């Protein structure tokens, strides 16, 4: 075996591929029981106002603690959950847990509670016929003020089918706000903005991190803000890591940003001690 692997690159390569495929298959299977085993938890990353960095809200980010592999990145397990359809139940858990947390903050901190709670929603969830009713159900059960909620969908998600578009419209008719996430990474970003009615545009970090160094990135970032202003859409710059990026974004007209510069994803307790005042009662 060892000789075959060492002496023949192709066999060695196949073995690697095999290991990768096996790990993926294993993770996918493990995902099926992860909710029941209580392996998910939520982190919250601040969204702030520029230039001072005052808290404007938080984005809810899902984490999976695998018993053997430790923390698995959502960039790895969300696509798997979308493929094995578990995303529907997992997404429901995220929505309900996030709304429960948001309602608790609203009760404890009143007007000082995070003004915006951004929750990622997958295309598979949006395409479920009962999704809007389910959202209403969760809102009623948790008692959260819907005015604080923002549902984030990626452009690729919206492009996948016509059904999500209908759901987006209906959610907005019901007073929920919708954000287009990772804007600029998809195929038809600009035309999508004209057909999908959204409240917020999250400009992808690939443009933001490019903004300081790379001319094309800077030009795109600067023109997007004019575009969103004209359409009365709020823009949030994602992935801000340096003061220089923050300054340039502010100079370009951005008033909302998110990134490691202002805070990494953190637990609810950490968010409370960093962003929120001491509770009144
Ligand atoms: P996203 O919605 O675009 O979330 C922002 C991601 O960028 C997060 O990664 C966040 O930790 C990361 N980030 C924030 N600031 C910075 C920065 O300054 N620099 C860099 N390099 N990265 C930064 P995370 O938490 O690993 O999540 C990755 C993606 O997984 C999310 O991208 C989202 O698409 C998906 N995801 C996360 N939670 C959920 C969820 O509950 N449901 C669904 N459907 N998708 C989720
Ligand atoms: Mg997001
Ligand atoms: Mg994003
Ligand atoms: Mg992303």
């Amino acid at each position: 075996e060892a000789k075959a692997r060492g002496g023949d690159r192709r066999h060695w390569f196949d073995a690697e591929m095999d290991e990768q495929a096996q790990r993926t298959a294993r993770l996918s299977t493990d995902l099926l029981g992860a909710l029941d085993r209580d392996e998910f938890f939520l982190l919250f990353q601040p969204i702030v106002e520029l230039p001072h960095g005052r808290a404007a809200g938080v984005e809810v980010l899902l984490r999976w603690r695998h018993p053997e592999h430790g923390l698995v990145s959502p960039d790895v397990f969300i696509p798997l959950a979308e493929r094995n359809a578990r995303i529907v139940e997992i997404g429901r858990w995220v929505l309900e847990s996030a709304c429960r947390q948001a309602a608790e903050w609203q009760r404890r901190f009143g007007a000082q509670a995070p003004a915006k709670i951004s929750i990622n929603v997958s295309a598979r969830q949006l395409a479920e016929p009962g999704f809007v009713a389910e959202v209403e159900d969760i809102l009623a059960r948790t008692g959260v003020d819907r005015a604080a909620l923002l549902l984030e969908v990626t452009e690729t998600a919206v492009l996948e089918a016509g059904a999500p578009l209908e759901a987006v419209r209906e959610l907005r008719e019901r007073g929920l706000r919708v954000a287009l996430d990772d804007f600029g990474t998809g195929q038809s970003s600009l035309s999508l903005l004209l057909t999908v009615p959204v409240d917020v545009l999250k400009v992808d970090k690939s443009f933001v991190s490019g903004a300081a160094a790379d001319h094309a990135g800077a030009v795109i970032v600067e023109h997007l803000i004019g575009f969103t202003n004209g359409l009365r859409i709020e823009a949030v710059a994602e992935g801000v890591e340096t003061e220089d990026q923050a300054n340039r974004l502010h100079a370009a007209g951005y008033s909302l940003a998110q990134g490691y510069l202002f805070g990494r994803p953190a637990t609810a307790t950490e968010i409370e001690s960093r962003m929120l005042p001491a509770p009144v009662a």
Side-chain angles (χ1 to χ4, degrees):
E1 235 265 335
K3 196 179 163 214
R5 287 179 80 177
D8 186 331
R9 284 182 68 89
R10 211 183 137 265
H11 282 170
W12 173 80
F13 186 69
D14 284 351
E16 281 279 287
M17 288 296 281
D18 214 48
E19 247 174 67
Q20 189 58 39
Q22 271 177 27
R23 184 186 138 93
T24 302
R26 175 74 201 283
L27 281 179
S28 181
T29 308
D30 291 348
L31 258 185
L32 301 177
L35 259 186
D36 290 336
R37 291 190 302 270
D38 212 15
E39 291 168 359
F40 292 113
F41 63 100
L42 300 180
L43 293 181
F44 305 84
Q45 184 181 32
I47 296 170
V48 305
E49 287 173 22
L50 294 175
H52 36 70
R54 192 190 303 129
V58 293
E59 177 172 4
V60 178
L61 294 162
L62 181 61
R63 293 293 180 265
W64 179 22
R65 190 177 285 117
H66 188 281
E68 289 147 51
H69 303 292
L71 273 189
V72 184
S73 165
D75 283 328
V76 171
F77 74 79
I78 295 285
L80 295 180
E82 278 169 346
R83 239 173 289 150
N84 72 18
R86 209 43 133 227
I87 191 66
V88 175
E89 281 91 41
I90 296 172
R92 189 183 297 134
W93 181 88
V94 170
L95 257 173
E96 171 132 21
S97 308
C99 287
R100 202 177 306 119
Q101 181 63 70
E104 190 201 310
W105 279 335
Q106 288 167 357
R107 274 194 304 273
R108 286 170 59 205
F109 300 101
Q112 312 267 30
K116 288 193 196 83
I117 314 278
S118 246
I119 307 172
N120 293 287
V121 171
S122 130
R124 278 297 277 266
Q125 280 176 276
L126 272 181
E128 283 285 297
F131 181 70
V132 176
E134 193 182 293
V135 170
E136 284 292 352
D137 194 47
I138 290 173
L139 293 178
R141 260 205 318 275
T142 57
V144 69
D145 176 5
R146 71 180 66 206
L149 297 184
L150 191 65
L151 300 181
E152 297 193 2
V153 295
T154 62
E155 46 182 325
T156 29
V158 176
L159 286 172
E160 246 169 51
L165 228 161
E166 267 317 298
V168 167
R169 291 211 179 91
E170 204 180 331
L171 288 164
R172 291 185 76 241
E173 276 161 21
R174 291 164 178 270
L176 285 141
R177 307 205 317 146
V178 176
L180 207 50
D181 202 356
D182 299 350
F183 187 77
T185 57
Q187 294 298 311
S188 53
S189 300
L190 283 179
S191 59
L192 192 67
L193 258 195
L194 301 172
T195 48
V196 185
V198 296
D199 305 278
V200 174
L201 196 74
K202 299 195 74 173
V203 179
D204 192 70
K205 54 177 170 274
S206 55
F207 297 117
V208 173
S209 56
D214 167 64
H215 180 67
V219 169
I220 291 167
V221 162
E222 277 163 29
H223 280 80
L224 274 180
I225 192 71
F227 205 68
T228 55
N229 284 342
L231 293 170
R232 290 174 202 280
I233 294 171
E234 247 178 78
V236 179
E238 296 194 277
V240 181
E241 295 182 351
T242 68
E243 291 282 355
D244 186 47
Q245 286 164 4
N247 291 338
R248 283 164 190 264
L249 287 163
H250 177 61
Y254 285 79
S255 53
L256 290 169
Q258 182 179 353
Y260 294 165
L261 176 66
F262 307 107
R264 294 199 172 240
T267 64
T269 318
E270 288 169 326
I271 290 292
E272 285 169 25
S273 61
R274 274 193 232 162
M275 290 176 59
L276 304 175
V280 220

